[in-house]
Amino acid sequence: MKLLPCIFFACLALGQARELNQALTLAAGNKVELVNALAKVPAEQKKALEFLIRYMPERDLKSLKADFLTKNLHLAFQARKQFPWGKKISDHVFFNDVLPYAVLNEKREAWRADFKKRFTPIVKDKKTIEEAVNAITAVISKEVKVKYSTKRKKADQSPSESIELGLASCTGLSILLVDACRAVGIPARVAGTPAWTTKHGNHNWVEIFTPADGKWHFTEYYANKKGFDHSWFVADASQANAKSKFHSIYASSWKSTQQHFPLVWDMSITYVPGVNVTETYVKLGKGKDLAKLQCELRVDVFNKKGERAESDVTIVQGSASMGNGNSPKVTDDMNKFLTIPLKKGQLYHAIWKDPDTGVKNHVEFKTPNDKTWHQLSLKSQVPKAKK
């Protein structure tokens, strides 16, 4: 019986060697670069590089150079030693969710040195991963000068493409945040759904691994002030369907899994591994009693230009306030709304401040009897100029 562990690890090593050889063969003419990289890295980094190569998509096996790979490794290991959370992260998590030079199918580029320089001063005094991530999300939009916009060139922008344009989709913003976290040794990955079950559209966000509890928690580029596991999309995510390919929630992975991360901008791409994490979000929603909402009100406010604008909104029924908050800004994701739970088939009033004039307006509306959500669009009441 004592021989069983030895046999297991011997088989594991043989399997990994076979995967590495298969990857090197697939690299074809670029094999020499990968072999050179393996020869150059320090002994303590060799297993990490072997891991990267074993699970590289074919496009990378045939194109990435030794210098690119060794510099990426050096900076990742440097961050692991530099920050207090580094020593608490297992090799498995470090290899899969800190070390990779890419998240999805974005253009491959050397972002790590720049991001390490940018975000080290921001997290250098932080003791925990949660403190560090909260510090990063508080400043990242100002640091990289990128805001959310549907006018971005493409969904899968790399960090430099988003920074150059100053605009990015939720996917582009998520890639920026993942890379910022990885640059300072924090395990991070993209999560998202190809399609909501509750409304049209899709969304991607970020998950962070915390070694203190050994779990993944979610956040966003525009993070909720309450911290991890709070967001405008929790109610929608809690109603995802794990049995449906298009209505599940996935998290990205570097290591191969039994499924891929669906890229809605190009569903023909299947080389990005994914993990189905739907049940985590369904359970979170149940824990917050979100499934009991009879009718979710989703509020938008628009200025005279027709752009989404932040405004203080209160929903009342008679003399009772049913909830209030700020509507989304123009830079917020298009699937984000101010959400307030109401009852079906009842009359309510929305009290809101006109974003252009500052004048308070009142609008009466009725929630539907046959839907679990209702969208309310409030528009600026600025009178049109006379001709």
Side-chain angles (χ1 to χ4, degrees):
M1 295 294 291
K2 293 182 180 179
L3 293 175
L4 288 177
C6 295
I7 294 172
F8 171 77
F9 287 114
C11 291
L12 181 63
L14 284 172
Q16 292 174 349
R18 190 180 302 112
E19 290 174 342
L20 181 61
N21 287 330
Q22 290 172 345
L24 292 174
T25 300
L26 195 59
N30 196 52
K31 177 179 177 179
V32 64
E33 291 288 338
L34 303 182
V35 171
N36 285 341
L38 286 166
K40 287 181 180 180
V41 294
E44 65 271 18
Q45 296 181 15
K46 189 171 182 180
K47 284 186 178 180
L49 181 54
E50 288 178 349
F51 177 88
L52 278 185
I53 294 174
R54 279 159 47 208
Y55 299 114
M56 271 187 196
E58 185 175 350
R59 60 175 280 200
D60 295 349
L61 289 169
K62 292 184 174 181
S63 63
L64 297 184
K65 304 306 177 184
D67 188 55
F68 174 89
L69 294 170
T70 55
K71 285 182 178 179
N72 175 73
L73 249 72
H74 170 73
L75 290 166
F77 273 86
Q78 187 182 70
R80 191 182 194 184
K81 293 178 181 178
Q82 182 174 351
F83 299 101
W85 44 83
K87 62 177 71 73
K88 301 175 183 178
I89 299 168
S90 68
D91 280 352
H92 170 73
V93 174
F94 176 74
F95 288 1
N96 198 59
D97 302 294
V98 177
L99 188 63
Y101 48 80
V103 187
L104 301 175
N105 70 308
E106 72 273 19
K107 184 181 76 172
R108 287 17 182 168
E109 57 188 32
W111 47 265
R112 199 178 291 267
D114 177 40
F115 276 25
K116 188 173 186 296
K117 182 179 180 180
R118 288 175 185 265
F119 295 102
T120 291
I122 293 164
V123 304
K124 63 182 179 67
D125 296 324
K126 307 305 177 185
K127 304 300 181 185
T128 68
I129 281 179
E130 185 167 7
E131 289 176 354
V133 174
N134 287 341
I136 291 171
T137 56
V139 302
I140 188 170
S141 62
K142 293 181 180 179
E143 177 61 37
V144 299
K145 296 180 173 58
V146 180
K147 62 182 181 180
Y148 173 82
S149 176
T150 57
K151 296 180 180 179
R152 80 293 185 274
K153 288 185 178 179
K154 56 182 182 178
D156 54 337
Q157 290 173 176
S158 66
S160 70
E161 289 172 333
S162 293
I163 291 171
E164 181 180 358
L165 187 62
L167 307 173
S169 66
C170 59
T171 305
L173 297 180
S174 296
I175 289 172
L176 282 168
L177 180 55
V178 167
D179 289 347
C181 290
R182 289 181 176 180
V184 292
I186 296 172
R189 63 190 187 184
V190 168
T193 180
W196 297 115
T197 61
T198 53
K199 58 188 175 186
H200 293 297
N202 62 285
H203 188 51
N204 286 322
W205 56 91
V206 174
E207 289 191 338
I208 303 294
F209 182 81
T210 53
D213 60 5
K215 296 181 179 180
W216 288 93
H217 301 272
F218 69 84
T219 186
E220 290 196 280
Y221 184 90
Y222 294 113
N224 191 294
K225 293 180 181 179
K226 294 180 181 179
F228 286 177
D229 299 333
H230 291 87
S231 180
W232 57 270
F233 62 75
V234 175
D236 298 304
S238 71
Q239 297 180 61
N241 183 356
K243 295 181 180 180
S244 168
K245 175 181 177 181
F246 296 104
H247 295 303
S248 287
I249 295 173
Y250 300 87
S252 64
S253 171
W254 188 258
K255 182 178 180 179
S256 296
T257 62
Q258 298 301 311
Q259 55 200 329
H260 68 275
F261 188 100
L263 306 177
V264 294
W265 50 91
D266 190 344
M267 293 296 280
S268 68
I269 296 176
T270 59
Y271 61 71
V272 180
V275 180
N276 194 312
V277 293
T278 305
E279 290 305 317
T280 299
Y281 289 87
V282 171
K283 290 178 182 178
L284 181 65
K286 288 180 179 178
K288 296 179 180 298
D289 290 329
L290 292 169
K292 296 180 181 179
L293 299 180
Q294 291 184 317
C295 183
E296 178 185 83
L297 180 67
R298 301 168 181 170
V299 185
D300 254 333
V301 175
F302 295 90
N303 60 25
K304 62 181 180 181
K305 295 181 180 179
E307 301 171 328
R308 298 173 103 199
E310 186 174 24
S311 176
D312 183 54
V313 180
T314 300
I315 305 301
V316 299
Q317 187 175 52
S319 60
S321 173
M322 309 306 295
N324 71 289
N326 290 329
S327 60
K329 305 182 292 294
V330 67
T331 55
D332 285 326
D333 190 279
M334 290 301 294
N335 284 312
K336 179 178 180 180
F337 303 96
L338 167 62
T339 58
I340 297 174
L342 301 175
K343 293 182 179 180
K344 293 180 180 179
Q346 296 196 18
L347 285 172
Y348 297 92
H349 280 83
I351 303 172
W352 56 288
K353 188 178 290 186
D354 192 299
D356 294 304
T357 66
V359 175
K360 281 192 174 182
N361 294 311
H362 296 248
V363 174
E364 183 182 76
F365 66 95
K366 185 178 181 180
T367 52
N369 288 306
D370 56 350
K371 292 184 179 180
T372 58
W373 61 275
H374 177 66
Q375 187 165 338
L376 182 64
S377 296
L378 304 172
K379 299 179 181 180
S380 174
Q381 301 298 305
V382 175
K384 294 182 179 180
K386 295 182 180 179
K387 294 183 180 180

Short mmCIF file of all heavy atoms in Angstrom, two decimals, residues 256-260 274:
data_model
loop_
_atom_site.label_atom_id
_atom_site.label_comp_id
_atom_site.label_asym_id
_atom_site.label_seq_id
_atom_site.Cartn_x
_atom_site.Cartn_y
_atom_site.Cartn_z
N SER A 256 -6.42 23.30 -18.86
CA SER A 256 -7.54 22.73 -19.60
C SER A 256 -8.60 22.18 -18.65
O SER A 256 -8.28 21.61 -17.60
CB SER A 256 -7.05 21.61 -20.52
OG SER A 256 -6.18 22.11 -21.50
N THR A 257 -9.84 22.36 -19.02
CA THR A 257 -10.97 21.81 -18.27
C THR A 257 -11.83 21.01 -19.25
O THR A 257 -11.46 20.84 -20.40
CB THR A 257 -11.82 22.94 -17.65
OG1 THR A 257 -12.37 23.76 -18.70
CG2 THR A 257 -10.97 23.83 -16.74
N GLN A 258 -12.96 20.57 -18.80
CA GLN A 258 -13.85 19.81 -19.68
C GLN A 258 -14.73 20.69 -20.55
O GLN A 258 -15.58 20.20 -21.29
CB GLN A 258 -14.73 18.88 -18.83
CG GLN A 258 -13.95 17.85 -18.03
CD GLN A 258 -13.10 16.95 -18.91
OE1 GLN A 258 -13.58 16.40 -19.90
NE2 GLN A 258 -11.83 16.80 -18.56
N GLN A 259 -14.56 22.01 -20.45
CA GLN A 259 -15.38 22.93 -21.23
C GLN A 259 -14.59 24.20 -21.51
O GLN A 259 -13.51 24.41 -20.93
CB GLN A 259 -16.67 23.25 -20.48
CG GLN A 259 -16.45 23.80 -19.08
CD GLN A 259 -17.68 23.66 -18.22
OE1 GLN A 259 -18.79 23.70 -18.69
NE2 GLN A 259 -17.48 23.49 -16.92
N HIS A 260 -15.11 25.05 -22.38
CA HIS A 260 -14.42 26.30 -22.68
C HIS A 260 -15.23 27.49 -22.20
O HIS A 260 -16.43 27.39 -21.94
CB HIS A 260 -14.15 26.42 -24.18
CG HIS A 260 -15.37 26.58 -25.02
ND1 HIS A 260 -16.12 25.52 -25.47
CD2 HIS A 260 -15.99 27.69 -25.50
CE1 HIS A 260 -17.14 25.96 -26.18
NE2 HIS A 260 -17.08 27.28 -26.22
N GLY A 274 -12.73 27.01 -19.45
CA GLY A 274 -13.67 27.64 -18.52
C GLY A 274 -14.13 26.68 -17.45
O GLY A 274 -14.07 25.46 -17.61
#
